[in-house]
Structures are given as structure tokens and as C-alpha cells.
Amino acid sequence: MKRRRSGLLPLLSLLPSFAPSGWVSTCSWWRGGSLTVTYPVCPMADKPCCRAEQARRAITVEMTSLSPSIHEMVVGSIARFHQSPPQDYAAFLLSDCTLNWTVVTAFLEQSVRVGNDDCAAGGRRCAELAFHVHRQLASRALYSELEKRDRFAWTHSPELFVRLVRELKSEGPLPTLITLLIGTAALERALGDVYVSVTGSTHCPLLLRDLLATEEMEQALGHTAVFILRCVIGPPTGLNLRNIVWHGFFSYSEIPPQYSVFILVLAASLGPLLSSPLSFRPHLTLTQDTPLALVFQELGPGDCVLLEGVVSHSFFVLPTMLPVWRSALEAFTGGRYAECLVLLLPSLEHGLRRVFAASNGCPHRALTAESTTLYTTFDEMLSPLLPSGEANKLISEIGANKMEMLLDVLVYSEGPRVRDRISHGEVEFGRLSRVLANHMLCLAMLFAAQYCLNKDLLRQSPLVRSLLSIEAGYVSIFHPLSMLKQELLQLLSTMNDWENIPKPEEFANLVAPHSSTSLLTALSHVRIDGPSDDWCGSVGGVRDVIECVWGRRLCTLYMERRDLELVGVARRTLENTQQAVSQIQELAALRYSQYIGKQLRSRQRPNYQHLVSSLPQYCGSVLLLMILSLACLSHLPLDSDHEPVRIIKYHKKLLQFSENAHSQSSRNRWEEVDKLCASLAQLTLAFPK
């Protein structure tokens, strides 16, 4: 009998080797030396579970996910300044706690030419500048000046920045991490507002490095300010603080506090450089809370205590990252949901990157944030293929359902895309919901549980068993195929009210002139497995078919491009139909009230009669269109046997029908609508077998 591979084993490959007893672990240290840690003899050292626990202890030494060159630039330089402080150059700060741009420019130009593309040299110089600013700010006790709201008025989020300043006054790794996470996201959003205000455009470049490379930003802020921004949060050749912190490369206590202080001072100093008022883009509102709320149970304080135990025993979480996970749980319990999410998302990416690297046999990808290579981020980890073209083994390691969960919240365009939208400042931090934080926390705990060493804790916990059960039965929420089902059900809900459309009694027996072709007869040519033989005659019957089709567990993970094209055509067909149905219902109700009130003009009365006579025919056409959209699923996945070009072409004809029906009904041309319904019945006869 083949033994199932333990979920712990891949992660062991990322750690030092261990002797079975009385062993000594020597770990390479980023400053060039080494750190030796000795552990007691373990009588069960030959057992895999005990070796995993030994591995757990061995990595209690500080580890970094930064490559040596990046670590030297970002962290090592600050450490050297502490050991041998550079001579004070001048007063970098003015009395209002903003940068003295004249002094800053002169300081930078001592070693780099402001405005060139050498962000590496500029990054090292900006690290020294951050060290000076932090020291001057602390020595002069200027934090009270930085707390003034008007310093950050240009960002459209002054209260947020003021809270970060107050948070940073309580020293420690956690305030430093939170300030850098939220501060860089909010600053990126504010810089985008500067761009759209200067250019008059409604959109700005998607990538921060592209935004900072535009001429418009230099015109608005000046060469020195934009050069500093590029060196600090711009392309990977500089300090690249925004990407390093948001992609989970920094460990908990690895971030020098100088950078968090410098980001706030820099944000306060950009406002006076702007010569004209800004127009602010509205923040996005995440509307996906309702479906997400139905996935996991709501966590309480006791649940968070239990989950902390799972995290503490999980190989998914390095000891250097454990305080971040605990802080995320504490933030959730305290109702600080934005703080919970900004701590949790980089931590989840950090842990998943280690699993990705171990599963695909590329351990160096877990320990690198190098300017010369692509970062290993969610984008690559959640792709079906590696850059080399090989299959991504992370999928088989964590399971297809966990991958679907990640794609739902991080990738699919109609999902919340929570990491992108939070890290780029697109959503208002104060409005991030408990539902979203609860969902992400439960999802993260599934990974922690998969690599948990304490199996007794998992077996004895009803909460963990519930999470695992939900994972086992999970079906994607925001995949295009799942959205197709939701749109079908929404249209059915609208059609439920069709019979309740008010009609004058004298119009009760009106029949459309083109209704001789039976739509139900046309339906007999569509081969689709339904729950019964008479399913196609009513709204309820169509609903039963929908549930029956989706009860077969349609595969949504990594669908082929042509399959997605077919689903997209079906969705656009339903979208047009939904708009037409809602429009007809509103018009019929309006004309009825006008008819009863004798307010219809002479030309409107016969048109209203034709509308009423067309309702049954159009209702049948809508049901037929829904069945045909459902039937397209029987062709998935498309292959050469299914003649994909012919099938997609057929469904595009259905799309054209829906567009024409919507157009003609909006113009009150009901005779044309009747003809279209008759043509749909004929088109059904050509349904691909």
C-alpha cells in the first residue's frame, strides 16, 4: 500500500540538516559569520515527527528571505550606521518636520546624480538619509509636528497617516511593520491622485515604478522628490521597500525603524511641493462580503486562542514570522480588521512561498528578493505552470480546493482581489470588513493546520475539523463558470415575477402573430440531462436543471482559454437578456398604470397591446436561451471532437439574438421582437450535438 507523503516533508528541505542525537546546528549568518545552536539529545530522534520538531527548534535563529545583496543594501547599511554613525551633514528637517529639500538635494548629489537611473546607488544614499532623518527626528522630539493633520491633507487620508505617526511612537517591530505596510500603500494611492490631477486622466499607470517614471510626476513634485521615491519604493534596483514588505520578504524584527519614519516624513514633505489642488479618486468598495460570509463560520475570541495554538505548532510559520501571525489574531479579536489583513496577507505569502519552493525543488526561490530576477509572488505561485513551462507542483501539494480558495480571493477579476487592492491603497483601510478578515484568517489557518506538528490538537478541535470539512467540499465562488450559475439564478429570480406583470382583462387572450413555432418543440433538440422529462416548461423546471448540472461538480481550476471564451459568450448573452427582461417588466408596469388611468396616447394603445401579446412568446424565448446557455456546459472542456470553433460560433449567434432583442424591445418594436423569438426557435434546431 502506497503511503501518502507527509505535508511536512517538503518544508524540511528548506532547513539545515540534523543529526539524530546530541546534534549541533550551524546556520549561515547574513553578516558573513555563523551562529551555532546546540540542542539536547532526543531519544526518538530517528522518527520523522521528532525530526520535524528538531527542525522547528533549529530555525529559532533569525532567518532572512532577502538575498545577500538586497539585505546588505536595505538592512546591513543601517546596521553599519549604528556601529559607526556617519557625521551629521546638516539639518535635514525643517521646524515643521518636513524635509529641507535644498539640503537633501545637496546630500544626494555628493554621491549620485539626481534624476539618473542609478537607483542602486541612490538606494544606498537614501538609506543613509533615512538614518539621519530618524536620528534628527528623535533628538528634536518633532513627532508632535508630524502628528498635525494638515501635513498629510494632500493624501486624502490625513487621519490614516496621523494614526500611523502615533502608532510609531510606541517603539517596537510591530508598529514599524504596520507603518511600512499601510504607509506605502496609502502613499502609492496619493501619488496616483497627483498623476490624474496633473494629466486630467481618469486612470494612472498600474505599476508604481511606471507611475514614478512619468514626466508628469517630475513636473508636479520635482526631480529630487521623484528620485527619492523611485529609490525607496520604486523599481527593484533600489530599496524597493513597498514590494519587499508587502510580498512577505521581511521577517518580523528585520525591518529597520528608520524606513517607517522616513516614509511618514517623506509623505508629509510632498504636500508643499504641489502647486495646484488635487482631485481625489473614490476608493473602491469591496462588495463580495455576502458570498464570502457563507463559507466559514464566524470566529470568536476562543477560536482565535485555539488558532494561535495551531500556528505555534505549524511548520508553515517560521519562528521569525510567528509574532506577526499572533498580532494578526490579536488585531482580529480587537476589531482592528484592516490591521489583521495587512499583517496576514504578507505572512500567508511568505509561508506559501516556502511550500512552493520546496514542492518545485527550487529552495533558492524561498530565500530571494533580488533585483535581477523576478520575485516569487502570488502571481507565480498560483499559476498552473512555472516560467520553465513545467507543471507547478504546488497544486498537488496543497490540493486543488485550497488553490481554488486562493484564486477566489486573490486572482479572479470578480473576486475581492484582496491583496492587490489593499496593498495598492485602492480600498479605504477603515472600511475593511470583519467578514473579509474572518475569511482570510480561516483560509490562512487551513495552511497552518496542514503543516501542524500537533496532530492531537487538530483531531480534538471541532473548529479545525469544520475548516477541513469546508475545504473538502469547496466550490469556487468567483470563477467565471460560478458567476454564470449566479447570473442564471438571478435571471430566473427576475422571471419568477413575469406572471405577475399586470395586464388589462380585455388583453387576456391576446396572442403574438409569430407564435406558431413552438419553443418547447425546439427544446426537444437540445440534449441536456435534466431531473425529469417535463423540466423545460417552467421557471421552476429550469431551476432544477441548473442545480442538476452544477451538482456534477464542474471543473473550474485552470480552464483553457477557449473554454473561458465560451463561458464568457454565455455570460454576455445572459447579461443582455437580464437587462431586456428588467426593462420590459418596468415598461409593462408603467403602461398598465397609464392604461388604467387613461393616460395613453392613441399611438401608445396599440403598441401596448402588442407588448402584452408578446410577453408569453418572449418569456419562452428567455427560458430557451437559458437552457441553451446551460447546454454549452455539456461541451466543456472543448476539444477537437467538439469542433470548438463551430460551437463558439453558434453561441455567438445566441449572443447576437440577445443584443438584438434588447435593442428592439428598448425601442418598443414588438413585432420585430416576435420575429426574433421565432428565429431563435429555428436557431435551436441547429444546436451542436
Side-chain angles (χ1 to χ4, degrees):
M1 182 176 178
K2 187 176 180 180
R3 292 184 59 187
R4 187 180 181 275
R5 181 180 54 159
S6 170
L8 294 175
L9 296 181
L11 292 185
L12 290 175
S13 65
L14 299 183
L15 301 174
S17 300
F18 310 102
S21 62
W23 47 279
V24 176
S25 173
T26 303
C27 301
S28 298
W29 192 242
W30 51 264
R31 291 192 178 91
S34 62
L35 182 65
T36 302
V37 186
T38 304
Y39 298 91
V41 174
C42 176
M44 300 175 64
D46 291 331
K47 296 192 175 182
C49 61
C50 190
R51 287 180 59 79
E53 177 59 28
Q54 291 176 350
R56 169 90 179 161
R57 296 177 185 176
I59 55 174
T60 55
V61 298
E62 183 177 5
M63 294 182 68
T64 180
S65 294
L66 301 175
S67 64
S69 61
I70 297 298
H71 196 288
E72 172 60 26
M73 177 191 295
V74 178
V75 181
S77 58
I78 297 293
R80 285 198 312 276
F81 295 149
H82 277 295
Q83 295 170 1
S84 179
Q87 184 178 0
D88 282 335
Y89 181 81
F92 289 98
L93 296 178
L94 300 173
S95 59
D96 61 356
C97 204
T98 60
L99 291 172
N100 185 332
W101 290 107
T102 303
V103 175
V104 168
T105 302
F107 172 78
L108 292 175
E109 289 183 342
Q110 281 191 337
S111 57
V112 294
R113 185 170 64 85
V114 173
N116 68 4
D117 294 329
D118 190 1
C119 290
R124 287 187 287 269
R125 196 63 169 164
C126 285
E128 184 176 350
L129 176 61
F131 180 84
H132 283 297
V133 167
H134 177 264
R135 187 164 62 174
Q136 291 182 14
L137 183 66
S139 63
R140 298 184 185 183
L142 293 176
Y143 277 100
S144 58
E145 286 293 326
L146 201 57
E147 287 183 57
K148 293 183 178 179
R149 185 181 184 277
D150 59 344
R151 299 281 183 268
F152 305 100
W154 73 275
T155 66
H156 197 46
S157 304
E159 295 85 0
L160 177 64
F161 278 96
V162 169
R163 284 200 300 270
L164 293 178
V165 173
R166 292 170 181 166
E167 179 82 15
L168 205 56
K169 290 171 70 175
S170 56
E171 298 180 356
L174 182 61
T176 297
L177 177 60
I178 292 174
T179 300
L180 204 54
L181 284 164
I182 298 180
T184 53
L187 181 57
E188 180 180 352
R189 178 69 178 183
L191 293 171
D193 288 337
V194 173
Y195 178 86
V196 298
S197 300
V198 171
T199 62
S201 173
T202 56
H203 301 284
C204 67
L206 295 177
L207 298 179
L208 181 57
R209 65 169 180 263
D210 295 336
L211 173 64
L212 295 175
T214 60
E215 294 181 2
E216 290 83 358
M217 294 302 292
E218 286 207 6
Q219 293 170 3
L221 298 173
H223 294 297
T224 300
V226 171
F227 180 70
I228 291 176
L229 287 167
R230 292 182 64 223
C231 292
V232 174
I233 58 174
T237 51
L239 295 174
N240 201 21
L241 295 178
R242 184 256 171 214
N243 283 338
I244 288 176
V245 71
W246 269 107
H247 290 302
F249 286 105
F250 269 134
S251 64
Y252 175 66
S253 58
E254 194 175 20
I255 309 171
Q258 287 81 0
Y259 293 127
S260 296
V261 171
F262 186 67
I263 286 293
L264 296 180
V265 171
L266 181 59
S269 304
L270 295 177
L273 300 178
L274 299 169
S275 58
S276 58
L278 302 180
S279 57
F280 300 112
R281 297 166 295 165
H283 284 94
L284 293 178
T285 300
L286 298 181
T287 58
Q288 295 86 356
D289 282 3
T290 301
L292 290 179
L294 303 176
V295 178
F296 296 111
Q297 69 182 71
E298 187 172 341
L299 299 176
D303 296 326
C304 290
V305 172
L306 172 67
L307 293 178
E308 182 179 347
V310 174
V311 169
S312 299
H313 291 85
S314 177
F315 219 73
F316 187 75
V317 182
L318 285 178
T320 52
M321 297 297 293
L322 185 56
V324 186
W325 287 77
R326 286 173 172 164
S327 298
L329 287 165
E330 291 173 6
F332 180 84
T333 304
R336 304 186 304 278
Y337 305 122
E339 182 180 323
C340 171
L341 285 166
V342 299
L343 291 173
L344 190 62
L345 288 167
S347 303
L348 177 60
E349 186 167 1
H350 175 272
L352 193 65
R353 182 164 47 244
R354 295 174 55 241
V355 180
F356 170 86
S359 303
N360 289 289
C362 50
H364 60 284
R365 300 301 300 272
L367 303 174
T368 195
E370 186 58 71
S371 61
T372 57
T373 59
L374 290 175
Y375 287 10
T376 306
T377 65
F378 277 136
D379 292 338
E380 181 178 346
M381 290 186 280
L382 303 185
S383 296
L385 300 176
L386 303 178
S388 63
E390 298 178 31
N392 182 1
K393 296 184 177 64
L394 177 66
I395 304 165
S396 58
E397 171 61 28
I398 66 175
N401 286 6
K402 275 203 197 73
M403 186 63 78
E404 285 276 26
M405 289 178 166
L406 290 170
L407 292 171
D408 263 346
V409 294
L410 298 174
V411 175
Y412 292 148
S413 59
E414 289 167 285
R417 288 176 48 214
V418 57
R419 205 286 304 279
D420 285 348
R421 286 172 171 164
I422 293 178
S423 66
H424 292 294
E426 296 179 15
V427 296
E428 193 172 349
F429 284 94
R431 303 189 67 177
L432 291 171
S433 67
R434 178 186 177 90
V435 169
L436 189 58
N438 188 92
H439 184 90
M440 291 305 303
L441 204 52
C442 290
L443 175 55
M445 290 308 148
L446 280 173
F447 286 95
Q450 180 174 356
Y451 298 100
C452 183
L453 298 169
N454 191 340
K455 300 303 180 183
D456 290 336
L457 177 63
L458 300 182
R459 283 191 292 268
Q460 295 169 7
S461 168
L463 172 61
V464 174
R465 292 200 303 270
S466 172
L467 295 179
L468 296 175
S469 175
I470 292 169
E471 178 201 344
Y474 187 78
V475 177
S476 175
I477 301 173
F478 300 111
H479 186 278
L481 197 56
S482 304
M483 299 302 295
L484 174 63
K485 177 185 179 182
Q486 295 177 34
E487 288 154 5
L488 280 166
L489 293 175
Q490 181 183 359
L491 182 55
L492 269 181
S493 178
T494 306
M495 294 300 296
N496 271 332
D497 299 329
W498 198 265
E499 295 181 358
N500 299 326
I501 294 177
K503 290 173 279 191
E505 293 183 3
E506 53 268 36
F507 292 176
N509 297 320
L510 290 176
V511 179
H514 293 278
S515 60
S516 56
T517 302
S518 172
L519 293 172
L520 296 183
T521 301
L523 277 171
S524 64
H525 292 267
V526 181
R527 298 299 180 188
I528 183 171
D529 295 331
S532 64
D533 294 334
D534 58 350
W535 51 266
C536 58
S538 66
V539 171
V542 175
R543 186 184 302 276
D544 291 341
V545 175
I546 293 175
E547 297 301 336
C548 179
V549 169
W550 259 271
R552 301 171 195 151
R553 182 86 184 200
L554 298 172
C555 179
T556 56
L557 187 62
Y558 302 129
M559 289 181 65
E560 295 289 340
R561 185 185 298 269
R562 58 189 181 187
D563 295 344
L564 290 173
E565 181 184 0
L566 178 59
V567 174
V569 170
R571 292 186 62 192
R572 284 155 55 199
T573 301
L574 293 177
E575 180 184 3
N576 289 323
T577 306
Q578 176 70 59
Q579 293 174 355
V581 167
S582 300
Q583 180 180 283
I584 291 173
Q585 286 181 326
E586 294 174 4
L587 179 63
L590 174 63
R591 290 289 185 261
Y592 176 78
S593 63
Q594 291 175 333
Y595 181 87
I596 296 300
K598 298 183 179 180
Q599 297 174 343
L600 287 177
R601 297 190 297 271
S602 58
R603 290 184 179 181
Q604 289 178 323
R605 283 193 292 272
N607 185 270
Y608 177 45
Q609 284 183 326
H610 206 152
L611 163 62
V612 173
S613 69
S614 299
L615 290 178
Q617 174 90 335
Y618 188 70
C619 176
S621 296
V622 171
L623 294 178
L624 174 57
L625 204 58
M626 296 175 71
I627 291 299
L628 291 172
S629 297
L630 268 173
C632 83
L633 303 181
S634 65
H635 296 132
L636 297 178
L638 294 176
D639 52 36
S640 56
D641 294 336
H642 282 146
E643 299 182 66
V645 174
R646 185 171 69 92
I647 292 172
I648 292 176
K649 188 175 181 179
Y650 176 83
H651 284 277
K652 285 184 176 179
K653 291 180 180 179
L654 299 180
L655 172 61
Q656 185 177 11
F657 163 82
S658 69
E659 292 171 342
N660 292 338
H662 183 203
S663 174
Q664 298 297 345
S665 62
S666 64
R667 300 176 187 176
N668 291 323
R669 300 173 65 174
W670 304 111
E671 184 175 355
E672 296 299 323
V673 172
D674 291 339
K675 292 178 181 178
L676 284 170
C677 292
S679 69
L680 178 64
Q682 294 298 322
L683 182 60
T684 306
L685 301 179
F687 180 78
K689 302 299 182 181

